[in-house]
């Protein structure tokens, strides 16, 4: 009981400490997390030239001589993508570059394809159909939802509700009552997605079924409430 009284007294002192030119007020933060199912998925496939001798199990790097050109690799990849039911206009070339292998040896040309999809099952069909030779990496890039603005509104609303609930029980515990809202500040992390590393599907054989398939956004607000009176 003494501990509860002590905490209540400290809270009262804390609230009184905010009394100034703006009157008595309490300032609290509210946080809400929204989980969204994406309707636009960007699947990235990184291709790179390779030497056939790399896979014979006996040749040394200095003996590599039969390079498989990028256009051959890309033809195979695009064939698999088409067979998975993906239209050609949903595939975009994102990046082309060269990789230096070893001193005195050829450049290995690489290319990245960005494939726009609407479901994760298509990713599974693509992954199963690909020959991983010539594939440097496969992973899920950006996730989107066409109603994202509505989800932002919902997340901010829920964060404000959380702040209100917190302020009400804190003020009540100190023998006070909330008045008008004096200020609302949106947190710097509001609406920011979770790290994309959670969505990666690498060429190691990981299945999309084992990955994080939703968009998580966290919304934070800082709200100042007037303490209208003392009960």
């Amino acid at each position: 009981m003494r501990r509860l009284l002590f905490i209540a007294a400290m809270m009262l002192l804390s609230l009184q400490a905010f009394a100034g030119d703006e009157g008595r007020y309490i300032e609290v933060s509210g946080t809400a997390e929204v989980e969204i199912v994406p309707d636009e998925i960007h699947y990235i496939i990184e291709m790179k030239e390779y030497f056939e001798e790399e896979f014979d199990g006996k040749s040394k790097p200095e003996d590599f001589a039969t390079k498989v050109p990028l256009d051959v690799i890309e033809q195979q990849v695009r064939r698999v993508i088409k067979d998975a039911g993906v239209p050609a206009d949903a595939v975009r070339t994102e990046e082309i570059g060269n990789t230096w292998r070893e001193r005195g040896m050829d450049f290995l040309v690489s290319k990245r394809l960005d494939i726009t999809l609407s479901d994760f099952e298509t990713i599974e069909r693509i992954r199963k159909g690909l020959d991983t030779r010539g594939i440097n990496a496969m992973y899920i890039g950006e996730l989107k939802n066409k109603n994202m603005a509505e989800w932002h509104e919902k997340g901010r609303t829920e964060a404000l509700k959380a702040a209100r609930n917190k302020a009400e029980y804190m003020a009540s515990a100190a023998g006070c009552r909330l008045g008008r809202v004096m200020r609302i500040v949106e947190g710097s992390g509001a609406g920011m997605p979770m790290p994309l590393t959670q969505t990666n599907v690498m060429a190691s054989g990981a299945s999309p079924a084992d990955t994080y398939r939703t968009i998580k956004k966290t919304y934070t607000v800082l709200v100042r409430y007037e303490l209208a009176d003392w009960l």
Side-chain angles (χ1 to χ4, degrees), residues 9-90:
M10 290 298 294
M11 187 176 294
L12 180 60
L13 289 173
S14 177
L15 294 173
Q16 288 178 326
F18 286 119
D21 295 338
E22 297 181 71
R24 302 186 187 95
Y25 64 86
I26 181 173
E27 199 166 73
V28 297
S29 62
T31 302
E33 187 176 90
V34 176
E35 192 167 339
I36 309 163
V37 177
D39 53 24
E40 182 178 319
I41 305 155
H42 288 264
Y43 192 54
I44 311 300
I45 298 179
E46 296 180 359
M47 305 170 291
K48 188 172 73 172
E49 294 178 328
Y50 65 94
F51 291 93
E52 290 185 356
E53 290 80 5
E54 293 182 49
F55 300 94
D56 63 14
K58 58 183 179 180
S59 298
K60 297 179 180 180
E62 57 267 25
D63 298 326
F64 294 172
T66 312
K67 184 169 70 173
V68 178
L70 185 62
D71 59 348
V72 172
I73 300 169
E74 184 174 359
Q75 286 176 15
Q76 183 261 339
V77 172
R78 286 185 179 271
R79 188 181 309 114
V80 171
I81 294 172
K82 181 180 179 181
D83 291 344
V86 181
D89 59 3

Side-chain angles (χ1 to χ4, degrees), residues 145-189:
N145 184 286
K146 62 178 177 293
N147 299 317
M148 195 62 76
E150 296 177 16
W151 286 106
H152 286 332
E153 182 178 335
K154 179 179 179 180
R156 295 185 180 106
T157 300
E158 292 302 315
L160 284 169
K161 288 180 180 179
R164 178 81 187 188
N165 290 338
K166 183 191 295 186
E168 283 180 343
Y169 78 71
M170 289 179 67
S172 176
C176 307
R177 186 176 65 184
L178 293 185
R180 63 186 176 88
V181 175
M182 301 173 68
R183 187 176 71 165
I184 300 175
V185 180
E186 188 173 11
S188 59

Side-chain angles (χ1 to χ4, degrees), residues 108-156:
L108 295 178
V109 182
S110 62
K111 179 183 287 189
R112 180 184 299 167
L113 299 180
D114 184 335
I115 311 165
T116 303
L117 306 171
S118 59
D119 60 83
F120 289 91
E121 287 70 25
T122 304
I123 293 177
E124 190 69 8
R125 293 197 296 271
I126 293 172
R127 190 186 67 85
K128 288 181 177 179
L130 285 177
D131 181 350
T132 56
R133 289 182 296 181
I135 304 300
N136 193 46
M138 297 183 291
Y139 56 95
I140 296 173
E142 189 175 11
L143 301 176
K144 297 181 179 180
N145 184 286
K146 62 178 177 293
N147 299 317
M148 195 62 76
E150 296 177 16
W151 286 106
H152 286 332
E153 182 178 335
K154 179 179 179 180
R156 295 185 180 106

